[in-house]
Amino acid sequence: MTPKIALRDIHKAFGSKHVLRGVDLEVARGESLVIIGGSGTGKSVTIKSILGLITPDKGEILIDGAPMGRDRDAFLAQFGMLFQGGALFDSLSVWQNVAFRLIRGRYKMTREAAREVAIEKLRRVGLSPDVADQFPAELSGGMQKRVGLARAIAAEPEIIFFDEPTTGLDPIMSGVINELIREIVVEMGATAMTITHDMTSVRAIADKVAMIHNGKVRWSGPVGQMETSGDPYLTQFITGSAEGPIEAVR
Amino acid sequence: MVLLRLIDDFLASIGRSVLNLCRAVGHLTLFVAVTLSHMVRTPIYPREIGAQMLRIGYYSLPVVGLTTLFTGGALALQIYAGGARFNAEAVVPSIVAIGMVRELGPVLGGLMVAGRVSASIAAEIGTMRVTEQIDALTTLSTNPYKYLVVPRVVAASVTLPMLVLVGDVIGVMGGYLVGVNRLGFSGVAYIQNTVDFLVLDDVVSGLAKAAVFGFIVAVMGCYHGYNSGRGAQGVGQATTNAVVTASILILAANYVLTEVFFSA
């Protein structure tokens, strides 16, 4: 079966810094892949390459077996993304953020209808309709993450990316967000790709795990096999040990 | 040997500066070309253009109005004092009018708006860059040039001439207030003299300059914000660069446009 997302030998360098050195990755339809790895190992670059925010120097990115065509809007319409800091537009109210895609572009709906959808999505992520008219700056970090999540799922995308979804949140809020992500992905039948350092997130969200080290996929496999992989790099990472093959000073 | 190395280093530093300048000019040219190409292609965001017109144009009115009011007054005093040296005090209304409309209105208006608007555009777009809001726009199928850059450039190019027109009137009134209250001109004669002396070309050339200055102000704000470095320091640097480059380009463009309009 054709994988939903396939990356073949992706290379990317910024100046003399070779970040990706041949990443190969496949994600099946409806699967939830979590990418782990230390800071600066190329996890974000991998996701941004798939979205076309960064153009790889070499390699192929296939969605449903086909590369991105000329119609960039249609291509991007398949994706939703939750950014690390939320990346909410602070000049727009919460509902306008959530409904951003719905009130613009080719498939735009009326503002009233879009507001209804936004409020329904806010409810889905556990926020009351009262926050719809507030501005992002008035919300706490956890609420901003939820709004970001509502925006990512507003247009019912087939593929959702989560960039460090629990960074900066307390453990309980992290747990809530992890649970929400899992529920939403299952409920929508979407294919998900998450970047995280948080091993609790990995266990809560992942079907499959890929570890990137030195610009390559070091290990990938089902989440259940992660603990028994026998790979010293992966073991060091998941146990958080300072001793091991990965240098602690980067 | 040491001398040779010093010369070598000196030449290398000149070369580096020239290369950096060429790179910056090329980068900016591409930015302007992409912006212009997006201006003539759909989708256009009228709501955004309207919001920016209000922000750039309407809210700059007090700054531009006060600047031109005081400048018109000071100009009247200067011309009166200068004119008195060869018994030509009567030229005050006409020189104030021509000075304001052709030169000081657009240039001072442009510089004040550069300080106010270029800085705020650069800071806003720079912060959006740093907090990944620009990436978020792209993932939401919205082109950042169309949504952020084009509305600001269009709004500034359209509203700066309007601002300058209002500024011209206020500047002339500044001259009028000083002329009538301090220098003993008759109010009716002052206005009559101003109206008789000005020709349409004076006003139109000033407004054309203002449109170009508006374009410069918005483009420099957007360009520096869009290419802002990381963190608070990057955004601060972008803001400074936006104001400095916009101001210098306004003064340089003013000279070129004056040559084009009036050198014949």
Side-chain angles (χ1 to χ4, degrees), chain A residues 48 72 76 88 100-101, chain B residues 132-133 135 138-139 141-142:
Chain A
K48 288 185 175 173
R72 197 175 151 90
L76 284 168
L88 300 175
F100 193 88
R101 185 178 247 155
Chain B
E132 293 186 303
Q133 290 179 49
D135 285 345
T138 308
T139 62
S141 308
T142 302

Side-chain angles (χ1 to χ4, degrees), chain A residues 33-66:
Chain A
L33 171 80
V34 173
I35 303 179
I36 56 174
S39 311
T41 49
K43 305 186 300 290
S44 289
V45 177
T46 306
I47 280 197
K48 288 185 175 173
S49 300
I50 301 174
L51 283 164
L53 295 171
I54 290 174
T55 314
D57 299 331
K58 191 183 153 201
E60 214 180 16
I61 293 166
L62 305 171
I63 306 294
D64 288 322

Side-chain angles (χ1 to χ4, degrees), chain A residues 86-198:
Chain A
L88 300 175
F89 305 123
D90 29 36
S91 58
L92 300 179
S93 66
V94 165
W95 85 262
Q96 286 172 323
N97 263 284
V98 175
F100 193 88
R101 185 178 247 155
L102 308 176
I103 50 182
R104 284 173 186 79
R106 210 175 297 171
Y107 312 106
K108 71 175 171 191
M109 46 173 81
T110 63
R111 290 175 78 80
E112 291 71 32
R115 193 186 150 91
E116 286 304 310
V117 175
I119 287 174
E120 182 211 316
K121 297 294 173 189
L122 285 170
R123 197 173 286 131
R124 179 65 198 87
V125 298
L127 292 173
S128 74
D130 313 343
V131 300
D133 291 310
Q134 290 185 326
F135 281 84
E138 299 170 64
L139 306 179
S140 69
M143 286 166 95
Q144 288 187 11
K145 274 271 154 79
R146 288 178 195 240
V147 175
L149 185 55
R151 184 175 73 180
I153 60 169
E156 316 251 320
E158 291 171 33
I159 300 168
I160 315 177
F161 296 108
F162 303 97
D163 187 0
E164 313 246 357
T166 56
T167 301
L169 301 180
D170 66 67
I172 296 169
M173 185 51 75
S174 299
V176 172
I177 295 285
N178 285 337
E179 215 163 273
L180 257 178
I181 289 177
R182 184 76 217 178
E183 278 172 24
I184 286 171
V185 168
V186 170
E187 175 182 302
M188 288 173 60
T191 307
M193 216 164 168
T194 309
I195 296 177
T196 186
H197 294 127
D198 179 354

Side-chain angles (χ1 to χ4, degrees), chain B residues 13-98:
Chain B
S13 73
I14 294 177
R16 251 194 309 276
S17 307
V18 172
L19 280 179
N20 283 339
L21 181 68
C22 292
R23 193 176 299 131
V25 170
H27 216 203
L28 177 61
T29 309
L30 278 177
F31 186 86
V32 172
V34 174
T35 302
L36 291 175
S37 80
H38 281 295
M39 272 186 192
V40 293
R41 283 184 287 155
T42 55
I44 304 281
Y45 299 107
R47 190 183 285 265
E48 283 304 306
I49 296 178
Q52 293 304 326
M53 284 176 85
L54 191 69
R55 193 180 132 190
I56 296 172
Y58 185 69
Y59 293 126
S60 296
L61 258 178
V63 177
V64 172
L66 286 171
T67 308
T68 49
L69 178 71
F70 291 124
T71 308
L75 199 57
L77 287 176
Q78 288 280 18
I79 292 161
Y80 187 80
R85 292 182 196 165
F86 40 92
N87 296 325
E89 294 93 335
V91 297
V92 169
S94 38
I95 304 285
V96 165
I98 207 165

